[in-house]
Structures are given as structure tokens and as C-alpha cells.
Amino acid sequence: MARTTDGNGTPVPQRLLATATRLFAEQGYDRTSVQEIVERAGVTKGALYHYFGSKEDLLQEVYARVLRLQQERLDAFAQADAPVDQRLRDAAADVVVTTIDNLDDAAIFFRSMHHLSPEKNKQVRSERRRYHERFRALIEEGQDAGVFSTATPADLVVDYHFGSVHHLSTWYRPDGPLSPQQVADHLADLLLRALRP
């Protein structure tokens, strides 16, 4: 029977996911075999299939784990006891930082999403739509209160911000001139300036 943790105490599912993420980022999803993943992770194929039904399930989980984190954080920002413009700014900056912190995951997903089955693709899109709808609700709350301009529809504002977020993996470099927080602050400030009445 496969060990449930490695020598450092890392559980097998996390080790498999970390290994798959590294390999998908280095050589692409379609060029990575299940055999390579299990060899690098130091487990058997049986262990992989015990935790993940397929390589496709690993791909889905790469994105889903980041989206779960971002959803939890957005829910906390949305429910905070703060003015709506502060809550939106915090949420807008946070999604940038958490995307940069998980840049490989984001890059893999946007490069490889087309490999998901229609059913899994639909599930991922539904989860992402839930996130975007919660974010949009903050914008609409501010628009209804007169804090934000209604000149631009909230849906378009959401698309504007997330267009920037989704492209981070194509240009952001950890050794570049801006820290993750600086990028997040700039993009969040751009969003708030665009919404100013």
C-alpha cells in the first residue's frame, strides 16, 4: 500500500498535485504522461487513481484549488464591515496577488482548459461564473449606493478587471520591477478610478 505522506509529511494528494502542476507548467498538459507524474511524485499509478480518477481530474483540480481559495477570500471581503469601495478594492487586489502566487496554475489552466471534457469544462466555468457574480454584486452594490458610476455596466467592469488578471501569466515575472502587491495595488486603483462617479 502506498504511503499517505512523504518523508516531509506531505500527503500524497498534495504531492501528486504539486508534481503534476510542475510538469504541466514545464512541458504542457498534453505532453505529460501519468507515468511521469507518478514517478516524479514517488507513488504508484494505483495511488494516483485512488485520489484522482484521471490526469484530467488533476488538471481540473489545479485550477479548482486556486478558485476555491479566491472564492473564500472574496466572500470574506464582501461580508466585511467596511465601505463598499474598500471591500471592492481589497477583493480586486487580492485576486491579483493570489493569481500571481499561483501563476503556474493559472498559466496551465488557460493553456490547457480545452483538454477538459465538456462536462468538466462546464463545471469549471460555473464555479468561475459564481466568483465573477459575487465580484459583480459588489460593483452593483456600490452603483446602487451612488458610490460608483453607473456609466459602464457592471458586467463590463468585471470583464475589464478579470481580463487583466487572466493575462498575468503571460507577462508577470517574479524577478521583474513590481512585487505582486504593487501590481495588485495598481490594477485595483485602476478599477476604482474607472468606477469613480
Side-chain angles (χ1 to χ4, degrees):
M1 178 156 179
R3 291 182 321 209
T4 56
T5 61
D6 64 11
N8 296 324
T10 306
V12 168
Q14 281 86 339
R15 199 169 36 172
L16 282 164
L17 203 51
T19 302
T21 300
R22 203 163 40 252
L23 287 168
F24 295 165
E26 288 170 6
Q27 58 195 36
Y29 171 81
D30 52 340
R31 290 186 299 279
T32 300
S33 70
V34 168
Q35 188 61 40
E36 285 177 286
I37 295 168
V38 297
E39 283 177 7
R40 286 255 197 117
V43 301
T44 64
K45 279 188 182 178
L48 183 146
Y49 292 124
H50 175 74
Y51 295 105
F52 301 96
S54 64
K55 187 174 84 162
E56 181 191 23
D57 286 349
L58 277 166
L59 175 62
Q60 183 181 16
E61 183 59 19
V62 163
Y63 187 65
R65 67 179 171 176
V66 177
L67 193 54
R68 279 193 302 271
L69 166 71
Q70 290 174 331
Q71 184 72 57
E72 286 170 18
R73 294 176 63 84
L74 174 59
D75 289 343
F77 289 124
Q79 295 164 4
D81 184 21
V84 68
D85 56 340
Q86 184 62 53
R87 287 182 284 137
L88 179 64
R89 191 193 185 286
D90 290 345
D94 183 73
V95 72
V96 174
V97 171
T98 53
T99 297
I100 291 173
D101 286 348
N102 297 281
L103 216 49
D104 279 349
D105 304 54
I108 290 162
F109 185 76
F110 288 108
R111 275 197 321 248
S112 307
M113 186 176 170
H114 64 281
H115 290 291
L116 291 177
S117 67
E119 182 183 318
K120 287 187 187 303
N121 199 306
K122 183 178 176 185
Q123 185 180 348
V124 167
R125 286 181 185 279
S126 172
E127 290 165 8
R128 191 167 64 188
R129 187 167 44 256
R130 181 174 162 255
Y131 181 92
H132 286 192
E133 285 170 356
R134 186 66 188 252
F135 194 91
R136 185 186 68 219
L138 275 174
I139 295 168
E140 290 171 338
E141 180 186 338
Q143 288 176 327
D144 291 345
V147 176
F148 300 147
S149 169
T150 57
T152 305
D155 280 334
L156 197 54
V157 177
V158 171
D159 289 343
Y160 162 79
H161 186 66
F162 286 96
S164 300
V165 172
H166 295 158
H167 282 93
L168 285 167
S169 63
T170 64
W171 66 266
Y172 182 79
R173 297 291 170 264
D175 58 353
L178 297 174
S179 71
Q181 190 60 56
Q182 287 172 316
V183 174
D185 288 341
H186 284 305
L187 291 178
D189 288 343
L190 277 171
L191 176 67
L192 267 291
R193 279 201 295 275
L195 283 166
R196 205 171 279 152

